[in-house]
Amino acid sequence: MSITATRLDSRESAFFARETEYVKSRTYDAKPSALKGLSLVPLARDLPEGISEITYRRYTEAGEAKIIANYAKDFPRVDVYGEEDTVKVFDIGDSYGYSIKEIRESSRSGKRLDQRRALAARNAVERKLNDLTLRSNRAAGTYGILDFPGLTETTLPADGTGGSKKWSDKDVDKIIRDINVMLSAVIEPTKGAEVPDTLLLPLPVYTSLQSRRLGDTESSLIKYVTDSIPMLKKIDWLNELGSIGSGGTGRVMVGCFDEMHCENQIVSQFEQGDVQQEGMEFKIPCMASSAGVIVYYPGAFAFADGIC
């Protein structure tokens, strides 16, 4: 037995066409969600649409210059060695829609269709893009910035109260030392070629540093950290750091978050497809595509687990 799809009359169809165009344009104009991963990692600008995979290299510099004599010919050779890898581009999708009854009621009353459904579809796609930016997805084979392979892992001393690694159990001098341990884990192996300028913390640790005061002063611990370590230009928080560490612990991370060191491989941003009728509903599919994050110089990043 075949089922014939219910059709809108010409007036209803014209109303729905205008409303769909309005909803789509308003969705694109709306202020995007404040997702920190998407603002943390620079967006790759040279990705053509329609690609299915991205091949790249993770680089290590080798060689050094030396003093040479007049008319010398034996100039020392330097090079950049890379580990080649390929990641696949995956499509992300969801949809929103309106029933024929809703369209007809809106047409008769002159009311606009609910735009919040389109915004919800956009927000869901952006949340997924944000998640792929921050965390590796084993099923898809994409990498995130917080657990990218090859980042330098450091172990912080467990010398807080009761033998704890948690910063809530450590005084300010030990916290400063822990940060310098991670910075040194980047600076020393690269002989100063890489100097992290960003410190990322779990939200509870960040708020604790903001609220803790130095003795009887009004100066916060986070300001003291910034003043004590001038190379740090930015201290920020990420919710996802709160449990991504070993055993579900909190992770602290330092790194160089610029386009020379890492890029977000979002091939296509949120877009809305043509209206499709399915039974008694008109559905609008929404899409984006991403290959996750590529870190070109993993040696420019270091992390440590157990701070909360």
Side-chain angles (χ1 to χ4, degrees):
M1 177 180 176
S2 62
I3 298 176
T4 303
T6 302
R7 299 185 180 277
L8 301 172
D9 63 30
S10 58
R11 180 180 61 83
E12 293 164 341
S13 294
F15 166 82
F16 184 52
R18 289 194 304 272
E19 281 298 289
T20 305
E21 183 177 346
Y22 172 81
V23 167
K24 284 185 174 182
S25 64
R26 287 293 299 274
T27 304
Y28 288 125
D29 291 341
K31 184 178 179 180
S33 304
L35 298 171
K36 304 197 74 169
L38 296 179
S39 60
L40 174 67
V41 183
L43 185 66
R45 301 292 180 182
D46 56 350
L47 300 176
E49 291 196 9
I51 59 175
S52 59
E53 61 182 26
I54 299 170
T55 300
Y56 68 97
R57 283 190 169 191
R58 301 193 294 271
Y59 294 106
T60 302
E61 296 179 358
E64 60 183 37
K66 70 176 184 179
I67 297 174
I68 58 174
N70 288 340
Y71 308 107
K73 296 181 180 179
D74 57 336
F75 284 74
R77 183 65 177 265
V78 299
D79 211 334
V80 177
Y81 298 95
E83 233 183 295
E84 193 168 89
D85 202 353
T86 299
V87 289
K88 291 184 178 180
V89 177
F90 286 88
D91 293 326
I92 300 165
D94 59 14
S95 67
Y96 65 96
Y98 307 96
S99 69
I100 289 179
K101 182 179 179 181
E102 289 172 327
I103 296 168
R104 286 175 171 166
E105 287 177 350
S106 294
S107 177
R108 283 193 296 270
S109 65
K111 294 181 179 179
R112 293 200 176 276
L113 292 174
D114 186 1
Q115 181 197 342
R116 289 174 294 184
R117 297 177 187 180
L119 289 174
R122 174 179 174 173
N123 289 338
V125 167
E126 289 185 343
R127 283 195 299 271
K128 190 62 177 179
L129 289 173
N130 187 73
D131 186 55
L132 291 174
T133 301
L134 296 175
R135 297 173 179 264
S136 299
N137 187 307
R138 292 183 180 180
T142 62
Y143 301 129
I145 189 69
L146 301 183
D147 55 359
F148 194 90
L151 304 186
T152 301
E153 181 177 3
T154 61
T155 302
L156 301 179
D159 56 0
T161 304
S164 173
K165 290 183 180 181
K166 295 180 179 180
W167 282 8
S168 58
D169 297 324
K170 294 184 177 183
D171 61 28
V172 60
D173 291 331
K174 290 177 180 177
I175 292 173
I176 294 291
R177 178 210 56 203
D178 285 354
I179 297 172
N180 281 318
V181 166
M182 288 187 295
L183 293 173
S184 296
V186 172
I187 297 170
E188 289 180 6
T190 62
K191 298 182 179 180
E194 303 292 354
V195 179
D197 60 4
T198 300
L199 172 69
L200 296 178
L201 302 167
L203 180 57
V205 175
Y206 183 87
T207 55
S208 174
L209 294 183
Q210 274 192 320
S211 60
R212 288 173 66 180
R213 294 291 180 264
L214 285 175
D216 297 328
T217 72
E218 292 298 317
S219 180
S220 69
L221 205 53
I222 202 164
K223 184 178 185 305
Y224 183 76
V225 169
T226 304
D227 293 342
S228 301
I229 310 176
M231 71 182 70
L232 288 179
K233 306 303 181 185
K234 180 180 179 181
I235 301 177
D236 208 347
W237 59 269
L238 283 173
N239 265 329
E240 290 78 4
L241 284 170
S243 59
I244 198 173
S246 176
T249 59
R251 173 170 294 181
V252 58
M253 186 173 186
V254 296
C256 305
F257 295 87
D258 57 52
E259 64 275 3
M260 290 295 295
H261 294 88
C262 59
E263 285 187 323
N264 203 347
Q265 308 297 309
I266 297 177
V267 178
S268 62
Q269 301 276 3
F270 175 79
E271 57 184 354
Q272 302 176 73
D274 296 331
V275 177
Q276 302 173 0
Q277 183 174 4
E278 294 185 0
M280 301 290 288
E281 182 186 41
F282 287 89
K283 184 175 74 172
I284 297 92
C286 304
M287 298 148 287
S289 58
S290 174
V293 166
I294 292 176
V295 176
Y296 301 114
Y297 293 92
F301 299 82
F303 67 90
D305 294 340
I307 68 164
C308 69

